[in-house]
Amino acid sequence: MEKLIYLDNAATTKTAPEVVEAMLPYFTEHFGNPSSVYGFAAANKEVITKQRDIIAGVLGAKNNEIYFTAGGTESDNWALIATAEAYASKGKHIITSKIEHHAVLHTCEYLEKRGYEVTYLDVDENGLVRPEDVEAAIRPDTILISIMFANNEIGSIQPIQEIGKIARAHGVLFHTDAVQAFAQIPINVDECCIDMLSASGHKLNGPKGIGFLYIRKGVKIRSFIHGGAQERKRRAGTENVPGIVGLGKAVELAAASMEERAGKESGLRDYLIGRIEAEIPYCRLNGDREKRLPNNVNFSFQFIEGESLLIMLDMKGICASSGSACTSGSLDPSHVLLAIGLPHEIAHGSLRMTLGADTTKEDLDYTVDCLKEIVAQLRSMSPLYEDFVKKQEKNK
Amino acid sequence: MEKLIYLDNAATTKTAPEVVEAMLPYFTEHFGNPSSVYGFAAANKEVITKQRDIIAGVLGAKNNEIYFTAGGTESDNWALIATAEAYASKGKHIITSKIEHHAVLHTCEYLEKRGYEVTYLDVDENGLVRPEDVEAAIRPDTILISIMFANNEIGSIQPIQEIGKIARAHGVLFHTDAVQAFAQIPINVDECCIDMLSASGHKLNGPKGIGFLYIRKGVKIRSFIHGGAQERKRRAGTENVPGIVGLGKAVELAAASMEERAGKESGLRDYLIGRIEAEIPYCRLNGDREKRLPNNVNFSFQFIEGESLLIMLDMKGICASSGSACTSGSLDPSHVLLAIGLPHEIAHGSLRMTLGADTTKEDLDYTVDCLKEIVAQLRSMSPLYEDFVKKQEKNK
Amino acid sequence: MYTEKVMDHFQHPRNVGEIENASGVGTVGNAKCGDIMRIYLDIDENQIIRDVKFKTFGCGAAVATSSMATELVKGKNIQEAMQVTNKAVMEALDGLPPVKVHCSLLAEEAIHAALWDYAEKNGIKIEGLTKPKSDIHEDEEEEEEY
Amino acid sequence: MYTEKVMDHFQHPRNVGEIENASGVGTVGNAKCGDIMRIYLDIDENQIIRDVKFKTFGCGAAVATSSMATELVKGKNIQEAMQVTNKAVMEALDGLPPVKVHCSLLAEEAIHAALWDYAEKNGIKIEGLTKPKSDIHEDEEEEEEY
Ligand SMILES: Cc1ncc(COP(=O)(O)O)c(C=O)c1O
Ligand SMILES: Cc1ncc(COP(=O)(O)O)c(C=O)c1O
């Protein structure tokens, strides 16, 4: 393939060359097990501490509140399952939203099978959780509120500070899945009253297979993965030293460039949204226009189906994603798009484009040009569009 | 440090340069998310399948019986916890041994707190589980037998085939932690009647933070980590593509060289054992002399403590490990050494040296020379040795 | 994911379009599940399918199976067209990913629906043809097999 | 893991050895937990510690704290020696890792045990000195603090 325009940075990102470079010595040179006594390997323990410092600094947290995991999914599982277990004597009720990532939703379903009760809050048509709904859902037996910082499909940024304050006021633990938000937008765990926070390396130009869970000092959850005494006895398994070093480097780079990147990306994002709205009929922007991740664009195009759209874009060298059922092998389209009230057939025709640091205006111009053409082509072969046009003609 | 003699390959290994090379393109070039529709990323799905083929081939398993995890610890947790959950209606009894890795033992303790009953089998003085003990422990409510393939401290290779046959005959699932054995000695899951098997990349010159669980087709355990539909919906989380590629490469290399390596290493192992036994008094070889991993040497040196020994070896550029309590921050010495019947003070004075593909006879000669000197020096300042010598003099 | 044949039929779908005053039209699937296929048949007095067109809302496999199905029935008589099963469509496309097999069922169903319409309009009975289900997805339910 | 001072005292332990017919000998710790320290004191008629030797079975920190403790009491009178607390030993070593703090306690205890032995032998009472516990680990129990 000649041209490659990568607009799927919410799915995963390219590992930054600086990150790979930082990792490399830890494979073949400083490969020792950080738990070892001899200096050659024990030095890796300090290396890990350094990465923890970097991450804690970005969140306004303390070094020993950061625990490395194998990724966002494990972090989410840990936060939910270990809290459920640790606080079961207080209650078995958990509050979350309908637009969480499956890492949270499927873990909630698992907990439901094990005797927990979960309230799945609705969101408004822009994909925002209403803080008053959170407060209304709190019961005496509520032990955890888990609301994502920003949504991975439609980019809506949740009112985390309000929710955090409500949770704190009611003495309920508050977890946020910040996999899409961390190092993209500012987060301070104290200001937002966050007790636990999940993040994943590969969403921020770090490596895959590494992430972390922030756990506020005092939160009494235990391990999710049991075994050796790593991570202050809370997360067993030989430390993934290169992964941790890569994550630390990625966070360092992302935090340093956050403001500038966000400015640039949100400018491009709004340019892309503007051109699509101006030039392609029968489309709808999904997610909030203002409270939106700087790099997220999500549209539904009526009468066409997302997977076809993706394949056609792919043929033009454009990488994007869709909430269409066909892309996941399930029959239902994205639960997020349904939660904001889209009918099934509109949800099927959704397209997510998530920009990265390298994305240029030229890339987006090319993308819109292709998109216009493809949407028209797919509509020309769509029975839904045929019916729509005929109906319009009749009504004239 | 000038010289570095790395004799701690059971703790972790150097990632092979070929493995790093195989991984590199998947960080910055083929970085796509394998779940994506577009060809650029979807190709990574096939790459993963290829690694699965390699691993399945080595075990005599089928491709779709291999599930990637973040390491041996996660694999062990998954096997035990998910089996306990899936088969709870049949029973809540699990059989394991006293010499398992903490990834198994602490998971068993976790399950005990959750209403399961665990039988911890004794081992003989060579660190071997007796198959007849396994059979005798089976009850109508036994749902799982988990016995490690080879022990990580003393290298004893368990009678897995006999145990597997017993498990099969009684209709009980059989899991083996093969983190130390996989790709070091031949394993065939069918011949050994293994239903689940754990392995970890970094023990075989692969990367850290990646491993797998073999699950025989028909074993009805569900996810341990819940979320996306990766790994045939059984292990959620964006695939660690570079890690998986590195693991596949490492397995390929390790399997191809297994016989030759085992021959060379066991020769060196026996040479090292021979010299130590001949030249250092008051020592004891731990583990079975025959049924032993090709790279494992474990001695107890009376009257001295392991951590001191390690630090002194470290000063000579030699990396090894110990079952001393002091190296783990706990007060008790290795549970494995206690299980084979060593008194506490002998267990504290243990030293494990695990050879690697690069280890030479010269390395070992230098090591023994240093060891002799260090043991003598530590004994000269040991009150236990003082008492022993005085007692001997009195008895003369 | 898809074979070359599937990609070819997706990129260059054969027989896209409508037939005015078609002998038979069938529409199957539903928007809820993300696939709708509509087939137009032009059948002559010898019950030969002279022309066939389709429109499809759906994924790549849905488009490709529609395209291939139209190719397979074109020029055939209605008895022969009845033999164009989902298997035949899949084979002609060199296979489909497991999650996409339902698309080929939909294509078969769309042909049948159009033939049913033709039969109804002309008051004839076609051997082996039953009234099309309104939603072929109804009895599908995925259960992971380990 | 260890400070340079600790490493120095571990690699070059001061005052290793025995004193024949010592004024006081104390042995503390137990082999079960992996640390035993024995301190020999040679105390003159003015209650000045003229010489001190130690033998230790234990980890690097155990050796280093023994060594440092002997250095700190050497030449002192027994009242001053009583002031050599585990804190003083740790400070003199520029600190110890948290899991090794018990070694410094053991060193303090070993000095006290040797002084106790001296006091017993000479029928005197040393202010603030109580009979050494046979096992200083007894009341330690680690509970992870998050
Ligand atoms: C919001 C959100 N949470 C959790 C995850 C899971 O992260 P990972 O795939 O790294 O485990 C993702 C990404 O897939 C995500 O977007
Ligand atoms: C026998 C055994 N099981 C499990 C593990 C855990 O593997 P990992 O640290 O890769 O999670 C290890 C190594 O630490 C081991 O030796």
Side-chain angles (χ1 to χ4, degrees):
Chain A
M1 198 177 296
E2 277 301 291
K3 209 178 180 105
L4 188 79
I5 296 180
Y6 187 74
L7 296 176
D8 203 11
N9 288 284
T12 195
T13 57
K14 176 172 168 164
T15 310
E18 300 93 319
V19 168
V20 179
E21 209 179 299
M23 294 168 75
L24 276 180
Y26 296 92
F27 287 110
T28 50
E29 250 177 276
H30 311 300
F31 61 83
N33 189 321
S35 304
S36 304
V37 166
Y38 40 87
F40 158 68
N44 281 346
K45 199 145 205 138
E46 279 150 51
V47 169
I48 293 176
T49 300
K50 245 185 237 158
Q51 315 311 314
R52 240 190 276 279
D53 283 337
I54 293 171
I55 293 168
V58 172
L59 286 173
K62 286 183 274 305
N63 177 298
N64 59 11
E65 296 177 322
I66 306 296
Y67 297 86
F68 294 108
T69 67
T73 300
E74 186 195 319
S75 299
D76 285 340
N77 274 255
W78 183 6
L80 271 68
I81 293 174
T83 303
E85 289 175 353
Y87 292 82
S89 63
K90 188 195 159 196
K92 294 191 147 195
H93 179 237
I94 294 168
I95 298 169
T96 188
S97 84
K98 287 196 176 152
I99 62 163
E100 299 297 313
H101 190 268
H102 282 143
V104 167
L105 289 180
H106 287 167
T107 304
C108 284
E109 287 160 22
Y110 166 80
L111 288 171
E112 284 181 303
K113 282 198 207 113
R114 309 189 70 73
Y116 291 82
E117 211 180 315
V118 182
T119 299
Y120 300 92
L121 297 176
D122 284 320
V123 293
D124 69 16
E125 71 281 7
N126 292 327
L128 295 173
V129 172
R130 282 167 291 242
E132 59 271 28
D133 289 356
V134 175
E135 185 145 35
I138 295 176
R139 316 188 313 204
D141 61 341
T142 305
I143 51 175
L144 179 68
I145 295 167
S146 180
I147 302 289
M148 69 199 321
F149 210 103
N151 183 269
N152 47 306
E153 291 189 39
I154 57 174
S156 51
I157 299 172
Q158 303 302 323
I160 290 301
Q161 191 167 8
E162 282 106 303
I163 296 171
K165 283 183 178 162
I166 291 169
R168 184 66 54 86
H170 290 264
V172 176
L173 287 180
F174 178 41
H175 166 253
T176 187
D177 174 345
V179 168
Q180 293 291 340
F182 176 65
Q184 309 289 350
I185 53 176
I187 302 180
N188 182 295
V189 289
D190 285 343
E191 284 168 17
C192 294
C193 301
I194 293 165
D195 295 310
M196 288 174 277
L197 177 145
S198 305
S200 190
H202 70 101
K203 307 285 187 182
L204 43 109
N205 301 105
K208 295 178 172 64
I210 191 80
F212 69 84
L213 181 64
Y214 157 82
I215 308 177
R216 183 179 290 282
K217 196 169 151 63
V219 173
K220 283 190 178 42
I221 69 170
R222 306 225 132 232
S223 310
F224 170 59
I225 295 186
H226 314 279
Q230 293 90 353
E231 299 292 289
R232 304 176 71 236
K233 298 195 187 166
R234 269 182 149 172
R235 202 284 193 176
T238 302
E239 295 90 339
N240 179 355
V241 183
I244 292 169
V245 168
L247 175 60
K249 189 69 187 176
V251 171
E252 189 181 330
L253 294 172
S257 66
M258 182 158 65
E259 214 179 293
E260 189 202 319
R261 243 183 328 125
K264 187 198 139 199
E265 286 180 11
S266 56
L268 285 173
R269 172 197 70 190
D270 295 339
Y271 175 74
L272 178 57
I273 291 173
R275 269 205 68 186
I276 290 175
E277 289 187 324
E279 299 178 38
I280 302 182
Y282 314 122
C283 70
R284 176 199 199 276
L285 178 70
N286 297 315
D288 196 275
R289 218 169 267 271
E290 309 291 326
K291 294 176 192 121
R292 183 175 203 100
L293 285 174
N295 74 342
N296 176 290
V297 174
N298 188 311
F299 273 97
S300 286
F301 298 100
Q302 239 177 303
F303 316 120
I304 65 174
E305 192 277 333
E307 196 213 71
S308 301
L309 188 53
L310 292 188
I311 301 178
M312 291 215 164
L313 285 168
D314 185 21
M315 278 153 27
K316 305 276 187 188
I318 300 164
C319 302
S321 89
S322 168
S324 155
C326 284
T327 66
S328 67
S330 95
L331 296 177
D332 280 321
S334 150
H335 63 284
V336 175
L337 298 178
L338 296 181
I340 59 172
L342 296 194
H344 274 69
E345 67 270 26
I346 308 286
H348 282 298
S350 78
L351 179 70
R352 178 185 72 180
M353 291 169 284
T354 41
L355 322 187
D358 306 339
T359 308
T360 63
K361 187 160 165 294
E362 289 67 45
D363 291 345
L364 300 183
D365 281 328
Y366 173 77
T367 300
V368 177
D369 293 345
C370 292
L371 196 54
K372 270 165 76 170
E373 206 179 285
I374 292 168
V375 168
Q377 192 183 339
L378 287 173
R379 281 181 179 161
S380 79
M381 55 193 278
S382 165
L384 296 175
Y385 189 63
E386 180 185 318
D387 293 349
F388 172 77
V389 172
K390 283 189 181 147
K391 208 163 144 197
Q392 275 199 319
E393 279 166 5
K394 236 201 270 171
N395 292 347
K396 258 186 223 159
Chain B
M1 195 178 297
E2 277 299 292
K3 209 180 179 102
L4 187 80
I5 296 180
Y6 188 74
L7 296 177
D8 204 12
N9 287 284
T12 194
T13 57
K14 176 172 168 165
T15 310
E18 300 93 318
V19 168
V20 178
E21 210 179 299
M23 294 168 75
L24 277 180
Y26 295 92
F27 286 109
T28 48
E29 250 177 277
H30 311 299
F31 62 83
N33 189 321
S35 304
S36 304
V37 165
Y38 40 86
F40 159 69
N44 281 346
K45 200 145 206 140
E46 278 149 52
V47 169
I48 293 176
T49 300
K50 246 186 233 157
Q51 316 310 314
R52 239 189 276 278
D53 282 337
I54 292 170
I55 294 167
V58 171
L59 286 173
K62 285 183 274 304
N63 177 299
N64 60 11
E65 296 177 322
I66 306 297
Y67 297 85
F68 294 108
T69 67
T73 301
E74 185 195 322
S75 299
D76 285 341
N77 274 256
W78 184 6
L80 270 68
I81 294 175
T83 302
E85 290 176 352
Y87 291 83
S89 63
K90 188 196 159 193
K92 295 190 147 196
H93 179 238
I94 293 168
I95 298 169
T96 187
S97 84
K98 287 195 175 152
I99 62 163
E100 299 297 313
H101 189 270
H102 282 143
V104 166
L105 289 180
H106 287 167
T107 304
C108 284
E109 286 160 22
Y110 166 82
L111 288 171
E112 284 180 303
K113 281 196 208 117
R114 308 190 70 73
Y116 290 83
E117 209 182 316
V118 182
T119 299
Y120 300 92
L121 297 176
D122 284 320
V123 294
D124 69 16
E125 72 280 7
N126 292 327
L128 295 174
V129 172
R130 282 168 290 243
E132 59 272 27
D133 289 357
V134 176
E135 185 145 36
I138 295 175
R139 315 188 314 203
D141 61 341
T142 304
I143 52 174
L144 179 68
I145 295 168
S146 179
I147 302 289
M148 69 202 316
F149 210 104
N151 183 268
N152 47 306
E153 292 189 39
I154 56 174
S156 51
I157 299 173
Q158 304 302 324
I160 290 301
Q161 189 167 7
E162 280 106 304
I163 296 171
K165 283 184 180 162
I166 290 168
R168 184 66 54 87
H170 289 265
V172 177
L173 287 180
F174 179 42
H175 166 252
T176 187
D177 174 344
V179 167
Q180 293 291 341
F182 176 65
Q184 309 288 351
I185 52 175
I187 302 179
N188 182 293
V189 289
D190 285 342
E191 283 168 16
C192 293
C193 301
I194 294 164
D195 294 311
M196 287 173 277
L197 177 145
S198 305
S200 190
H202 70 102
K203 306 285 186 182
L204 43 108
N205 301 106
K208 294 178 173 64
I210 191 80
F212 70 85
L213 180 65
Y214 157 81
I215 309 177
R216 183 178 290 281
K217 195 170 152 60
V219 174
K220 283 189 178 41
I221 69 171
R222 307 225 130 230
S223 312
F224 169 59
I225 295 185
H226 313 278
Q230 293 90 352
E231 299 291 291
R232 305 174 71 235
K233 299 194 186 164
R234 269 181 149 174
R235 202 285 191 174
T238 303
E239 294 90 339
N240 178 355
V241 184
I244 292 169
V245 169
L247 174 60
K249 189 69 186 175
V251 171
E252 189 182 329
L253 295 171
S257 66
M258 181 158 63
E259 214 179 294
E260 189 202 321
R261 244 185 325 127
K264 186 199 140 198
E265 286 180 12
S266 56
L268 285 172
R269 172 196 72 189
D270 294 340
Y271 174 75
L272 178 57
I273 291 173
R275 270 204 69 186
I276 291 175
E277 289 188 324
E279 300 177 37
I280 302 182
Y282 313 121
C283 71
R284 175 199 199 276
L285 177 70
N286 296 315
D288 197 276
R289 218 169 266 273
E290 311 290 327
K291 293 174 192 122
R292 183 174 202 101
L293 284 175
N295 75 341
N296 177 289
V297 174
N298 188 311
F299 273 96
S300 286
F301 298 100
Q302 239 178 302
F303 316 120
I304 66 174
E305 192 276 333
E307 196 212 71
S308 300
L309 189 53
L310 292 188
I311 301 179
M312 293 217 161
L313 285 169
D314 186 21
M315 279 153 26
K316 304 277 188 187
I318 299 165
C319 302
S321 89
S322 169
S324 155
C326 284
T327 65
S328 68
S330 97
L331 296 177
D332 281 319
S334 150
H335 63 284
V336 175
L337 299 178
L338 296 180
I340 60 171
L342 297 194
H344 273 70
E345 66 270 26
I346 308 286
H348 281 299
S350 78
L351 179 71
R352 179 186 72 179
M353 291 170 283
T354 40
L355 322 187
D358 306 339
T359 309
T360 64
K361 186 159 166 295
E362 289 66 46
D363 292 344
L364 300 183
D365 281 328
Y366 173 78
T367 300
V368 178
D369 294 346
C370 293
L371 196 54
K372 270 166 77 170
E373 205 180 284
I374 293 168
V375 169
Q377 191 183 341
L378 286 173
R379 281 180 180 162
S380 79
M381 55 192 280
S382 165
L384 296 175
Y385 189 63
E386 180 185 319
D387 293 350
F388 171 76
V389 171
K390 284 189 179 147
K391 207 162 143 196
Q392 275 200 318
E393 278 167 3
K394 236 202 273 174
N395 291 346
K396 258 184 221 157
Chain C
M1 174 161 86
Y2 290 132
T3 64
E4 270 178 44
K5 281 256 179 76
V6 172
M7 285 305 289
D8 177 41
H9 274 263
F10 174 67
Q11 289 180 59
H12 312 288
R14 294 21 162 201
N15 311 310
V16 175
E18 302 165 42
I19 297 176
E20 270 187 59
N21 305 316
S23 322
V25 183
T27 303
V28 296
N30 71 44
K32 190 156 180 282
C33 297
D35 321 277
I36 298 177
M37 286 185 196
R38 178 174 298 162
I39 300 253
Y40 297 85
L41 295 175
D42 175 14
I43 300 178
D44 72 10
E45 55 289 351
N46 299 320
Q47 301 199 328
I48 304 284
I49 298 172
R50 200 156 40 190
D51 199 9
V52 50
K53 296 277 180 208
F54 83 92
K55 287 214 171 170
T56 288
F57 162 86
C59 62
V63 172
T65 52
S66 318
S67 168
M68 181 53 88
T70 57
E71 283 287 274
L72 291 177
V73 299
K74 200 170 177 174
K76 302 269 165 72
N77 68 37
I78 59 175
Q79 242 58 47
E80 288 164 335
M82 283 296 295
Q83 308 307 314
V84 176
T85 59
N86 81 303
K87 270 212 175 133
V89 173
M90 281 214 287
E91 270 164 28
L93 289 168
D94 294 339
L96 284 177
V99 292
K100 298 296 188 182
V101 172
H102 72 274
C103 293
S104 64
L105 282 164
L106 201 59
E108 176 188 319
E109 201 65 29
I111 300 286
H112 288 188
L115 286 173
W116 180 267
D117 183 45
Y118 162 75
E120 288 248 295
K121 275 182 187 157
N122 292 281
I124 60 170
K125 223 176 123 50
I126 301 176
E127 183 121 11
L129 188 65
T130 52
K131 192 170 187 321
K133 284 176 277 179
S134 61
D135 179 0
I136 70 132
H137 286 309
E138 261 162 15
D139 46 345
E140 270 183 68
E141 193 42 80
E142 37 154 16
E143 184 33 44
E144 188 67 13
E145 170 246 4
Y146 298 128
Chain D
M1 174 159 86
Y2 290 132
T3 65
E4 269 178 45
K5 281 256 179 76
V6 173
M7 284 306 288
D8 177 41
H9 274 263
F10 173 67
Q11 288 179 61
H12 312 288
R14 291 33 156 192
N15 310 311
V16 174
E18 302 165 43
I19 297 177
E20 269 187 60
N21 305 317
S23 321
V25 184
T27 303
V28 296
N30 70 42
K32 192 158 178 279
C33 297
D35 322 275
I36 297 178
M37 286 185 196
R38 178 172 297 163
I39 300 253
Y40 296 83
L41 296 174
D42 176 15
I43 301 177
D44 71 12
E45 54 290 353
N46 299 320
Q47 300 200 329
I48 303 284
I49 297 172
R50 199 159 39 193
D51 199 10
V52 51
K53 296 277 182 205
F54 82 92
K55 286 215 170 170
T56 289
F57 162 88
C59 62
V63 173
T65 52
S66 318
S67 168
M68 181 54 87
T70 57
E71 282 288 273
L72 291 177
V73 301
K74 201 170 178 174
K76 302 270 166 68
N77 69 35
I78 60 175
Q79 241 59 47
E80 289 165 334
M82 282 297 294
Q83 309 306 315
V84 176
T85 59
N86 80 304
K87 268 212 174 135
V89 173
M90 281 213 286
E91 268 163 29
L93 288 169
D94 295 340
L96 284 177
V99 293
K100 300 294 189 184
V101 172
H102 71 274
C103 293
S104 65
L105 282 165
L106 201 60
E108 177 188 319
E109 202 64 29
I111 301 286
H112 288 189
L115 287 171
W116 180 267
D117 182 44
Y118 162 76
E120 289 249 294
K121 276 182 185 156
N122 293 280
I124 61 171
K125 226 178 121 52
I126 302 176
E127 182 123 10
L129 188 64
T130 51
K131 192 173 187 323
K133 284 178 277 179
S134 59
D135 178 0
I136 69 133
H137 286 309
E138 261 161 15
D139 46 343
E140 271 183 68
E141 193 40 81
E142 35 154 17
E143 185 31 44
E144 189 67 15
E145 170 246 5
Y146 299 128

